[in-house]
Amino acid sequence: MSLVSVALGRLSQAFLLLLAMSLIGFIGIHSVGNPVFNVVNIETATPEDIRQATIALGLDQPIWRQYLVFIGNVVGGNFGTSYIYHQPAFTLMISKLPATLELACVAMLIAAPLGTALGLIAGRRSGSLFDRAVLKVSVSALSIPSFWLAMMLILVGAILTGWFPSGGRGATAVFGGQEWSLTTRSGAWHLALPALTLAIPNIALIARLSRSGTIEVENLDFTRFCRAKGLSPRRILLRHTLPNISMPIVTIIGLQFGGMLAFAVVVESIFSWPGVGKLLIDSIQLLDRPVVMATLTFIAVAFVALNALVDLFHAVLDPRVRLSSQG
C-alpha cells in the first residue's frame, strides 16, 4: 500500500472521529443549563424578553437543527459570537492559544531530554540503585493526579519557599505579533511551576519508555559487537542505542504534546494561566456555548491531527506500518 493510501485512510478516520467528538460535545454542552439567563438580567427581564433572547440566540430550534446549523457554520469558519465577551468565538480562542502553546512547548522541552537521559542511564545500569530509583519515582509521578501535583508545587515553590509566583502569567513581551512570557524574567518565573506540573508525568513516561528500549537494544548482537570493538559505553549509548530507540520516543512525544494541549485545562485553571484550557473552564461555567464549542473543536482537531501526523511519520520511516495497513 502506498503512502498516499495510508494518508487517506488516516485522514478519513480522523474526520469521522472529529465528527463524533463534535456531536458528543454539542449534546453535552446543550444539556447543561440555559445560557439565556446569563445574557438577560433575570431580576428585570420579562418572559417576553427571555423569549426574544432565546430566539435571537437560535435556542428555540430543535437540537438536531441547531447541530446542523453549527456544522454548516464551522465549515464556513464561523463558530458564532460569544454570549459573554461579545467577540467572535474563534477569534477569542485564538487569542488565548499562544499562552497554551508556550506552556506545552516549555513543558515538553523539559520532559523530552530529561526523560530520555534518565531512561538511557537507567537502562544502561539495569538493576542498579539508580535504575530502581528511576522506576519507583516514575511510577509515583505517573500515579499522582495533576491537580494534586500542582497544589504541592504551589505549596513548596510559592508558599513555603517563595521562589516562584503561585499563579498568573507575569510580564510579557511582544514577539512576532504575540505576547510571550519567556521573553521576560517575570514571565519565565511565572511559567516555571505550571510547565513543571505538565512536564513531570511526561518525564516519567519517557524515562520508562527509553529505559525499556535501552535494555532491549543493549542485549542485541550489534551492541555486543560494538563492545567487542572496544567502543566506549558513552559512544555506544549515544551513537547506536539512542538512534535505535528514537522512534517510539518521538511517537510518545508527539502524542503527549497533543495531550498537553488537550488536558492542560486543570493546570491552567489552578495556576490562572490565561490559555485555552482556562478559557474552556470559564466558558463552561458561564454557559458560553459558542466559545465552548470553538475551544473543544480546536482541542479535538489538534489532538487528532498530531495523532495522524505521528501515524504518517511511522509510515514514512517504517515500511512495516504500510504493510500492516495493507493487510
Side-chain angles (χ1 to χ4, degrees), residues 50-257:
I50 295 176
R51 190 181 73 85
Q52 291 296 333
T54 302
I55 295 174
L57 296 177
L59 303 179
D60 59 322
Q61 301 294 326
I63 190 170
W64 63 268
R65 188 183 297 275
Q66 294 183 47
Y67 179 70
L68 292 179
V69 171
F70 165 74
I71 293 296
N73 290 336
V74 168
V75 172
N78 177 26
F79 286 88
T81 302
S82 168
Y83 299 158
I84 306 300
Y85 303 99
H86 306 292
Q87 300 179 38
F90 186 75
T91 302
L92 180 62
M93 187 275 300
I94 290 296
S95 69
K96 304 293 184 180
L97 182 58
T100 297
L101 284 176
E102 184 177 40
L103 177 60
C105 288
V106 171
M108 189 53 73
L109 286 174
I110 296 172
L114 187 55
T116 303
L118 289 173
L120 282 171
I121 298 172
R124 182 68 179 81
R125 302 176 180 177
S126 178
S128 66
L129 179 62
F130 181 83
D131 180 37
R132 293 195 298 271
V134 168
L135 283 176
K136 291 180 180 179
V137 172
S138 63
V139 169
S140 301
L142 289 171
S143 304
I144 296 174
S146 58
F147 69 88
W148 189 88
L149 178 60
M151 291 188 291
M152 290 301 102
L153 288 177
I154 291 175
L155 176 63
V156 175
I159 297 176
L160 297 181
T161 63
W163 292 343
F164 300 97
S166 60
R169 196 178 183 188
T172 59
V174 177
F175 181 77
Q178 297 291 340
E179 293 185 351
W180 304 98
S181 297
L182 275 177
T183 51
T184 67
R185 181 176 180 179
S186 171
W189 230 237
H190 281 77
L191 181 61
L193 289 183
L196 195 57
T197 304
L198 283 179
I200 287 176
N202 289 284
I203 291 173
L205 183 61
I206 295 172
R208 291 181 66 87
L209 182 65
S210 58
R211 173 192 175 272
S212 61
T214 300
I215 293 175
E216 181 180 354
V217 172
E218 286 286 315
N219 292 322
L220 295 180
D221 291 338
F222 82 90
T223 307
R224 297 193 182 99
F225 179 73
C226 290
R227 292 197 196 99
K229 286 181 62 178
L231 297 181
S232 66
R234 180 179 179 182
R235 183 179 177 85
I236 295 173
L237 203 62
L238 297 180
R239 295 292 298 274
H240 299 281
T241 302
L242 182 58
N244 278 278
I245 66 171
S246 61
M247 183 174 288
I249 293 176
V250 170
T251 300
I252 202 65
I253 288 174
L255 296 178
Q256 290 303 109
F257 186 78

Side-chain angles (χ1 to χ4, degrees), residues 103 146 150 193-195 197-198 263-273:
L103 177 60
S146 58
L193 289 183
T197 304
L198 283 179
F263 306 117
V265 176
V266 174
V267 174
E268 290 187 357
S269 298
I270 292 176
F271 287 98
S272 298
W273 187 261

